[in-house]
Amino acid sequence: MPVYSMTGYASAQHSAAATSPEPDSKGPAPMRIGLEIRSVNSRFLDLTFRLPEELRPHEPALRELLSAQLKRGKVEVRAALESAAASPLPDPSPRLLQRLNALQDSIQAWLPDAPPLSVADVIRLSAPEGRADCDWSQGLMALAGTTLQALLAAREREGARLATMLLGHLAQLRELTRQAGPLVPLVVEQQRNRFLQRWRDAMALTDGTALPEAAQDRALTEATAFAIRIDVAEELTRLASHLDEIERLLTKGGEVGKRLDFLIQELHREANTLGSKSAALELTHISVDMKVLIEQMREQVQNIE
């Protein structure tokens, strides 16, 4: 299965003949509906609809259609109705203008302070008469299905790009883990010898005699305990395991966003531990490089469904 991003955009239009003619027209004027769907990342599925009054009865059907295909994301659906004629603005008929003028005179007779109608008011009040009635029950759902498939295709393309980027980061993290592996026993041995040498120096300053065997055993014990505390072999093993699981999920595809987000947190935790336990500058640099890559992955994983 492909990996889907939660970021995408799609739009489409559909035309239909009106069931009643527009004023001063010789026949039914075609109407056009424009539909667009856009989505961004979100923890859950959040659907928002911006529909004209004529299309609000179809919102439950649209919600059911989108919920069946989308699992996560903040999704906004916008629709607009307009005449497919040459002029997008309504053309008020003389009869309508006379009626509006008579209504204005009647209202101002009772309310002298009422402001007169503006051109914008006339255009707005003319829209209901200028907009023909259409049956959008079938056309709207067909248009929504087409737009939804375009959105899924866009989210799939973006998901493929994200998966490719994440796999590239995984390869870099594997290389850093490989570089850190040989350093672990070397750092442990260096710290053990350094600890023992400091113990020797301290004992020599006390009486100038050779290090007693009991004191030497104690030094070895303390050095070994310290070496265990700075050993990061376990962290490197867990890092490699998490990287394998992330690659498996990206290859499998589907709804993997939440699991990837959890694994990214685990990667970051192991990289932090690697840096805090590091007793060598090389391991510190590797830990910093790991955390930079993991943070970049975290930002992208949050966009995966």
Side-chain angles (χ1 to χ4, degrees), residues 246-305:
I246 292 175
E247 183 175 3
R248 187 190 70 82
L249 290 175
L250 290 174
T251 304
K252 173 186 174 184
E255 302 169 30
V256 297
K258 291 184 178 181
R259 282 176 285 180
L260 287 175
D261 188 55
F262 171 77
L263 288 171
I264 292 298
Q265 295 179 26
E266 294 300 308
L267 279 180
H268 197 271
R269 182 178 306 171
E270 301 301 338
N272 271 335
T273 305
L274 177 65
S276 63
K277 294 175 65 173
S278 174
L281 187 59
E282 295 87 346
L283 283 176
T284 301
H285 289 165
I286 289 176
S287 173
V288 172
D289 292 341
M290 282 184 172
K291 286 190 282 189
V292 171
L293 289 171
I294 292 170
E295 189 60 33
Q296 292 174 354
M297 294 176 66
R298 184 203 301 276
E299 295 177 359
Q300 301 304 324
V301 162
Q302 290 176 353
N303 291 319
I304 295 180
E305 186 177 45

Side-chain angles (χ1 to χ4, degrees), residues 12 17-18 40 49 114 178 201 214 241 254-255:
V40 295
F49 294 88
R178 187 193 65 79
D201 294 341
S241 176
E255 302 169 30

Side-chain angles (χ1 to χ4, degrees), residues 49-70:
F49 294 88
R50 302 285 187 268
L51 305 177
E53 291 297 330
E54 295 86 345
L55 301 180
R56 287 194 179 278
H58 303 289
E59 180 176 328
L62 291 172
R63 185 178 296 273
E64 181 179 358
L65 176 67
L66 269 64
S67 299
Q69 296 288 329
L70 305 175

Side-chain angles (χ1 to χ4, degrees), residues 6 42-45 70-73 155 257-258 304-305:
M6 286 185 283
S42 177
R43 294 184 60 190
F44 307 100
L45 180 61
L70 305 175
K71 304 305 178 183
R72 293 178 63 199
R155 287 168 57 134
K258 291 184 178 181
I304 295 180
E305 186 177 45

Side-chain angles (χ1 to χ4, degrees), residues 12-13 21 23 51 75 96 135 170 177 182 190-191 194 204 207 210 235 238 287:
Q13 293 183 341
L51 305 177
V75 183
L96 176 61
D135 182 11
L170 287 179
T177 304
Q190 288 177 348
Q191 289 298 319
R194 186 178 298 119
D207 54 8
E235 284 73 18
R238 285 197 294 265
S287 173

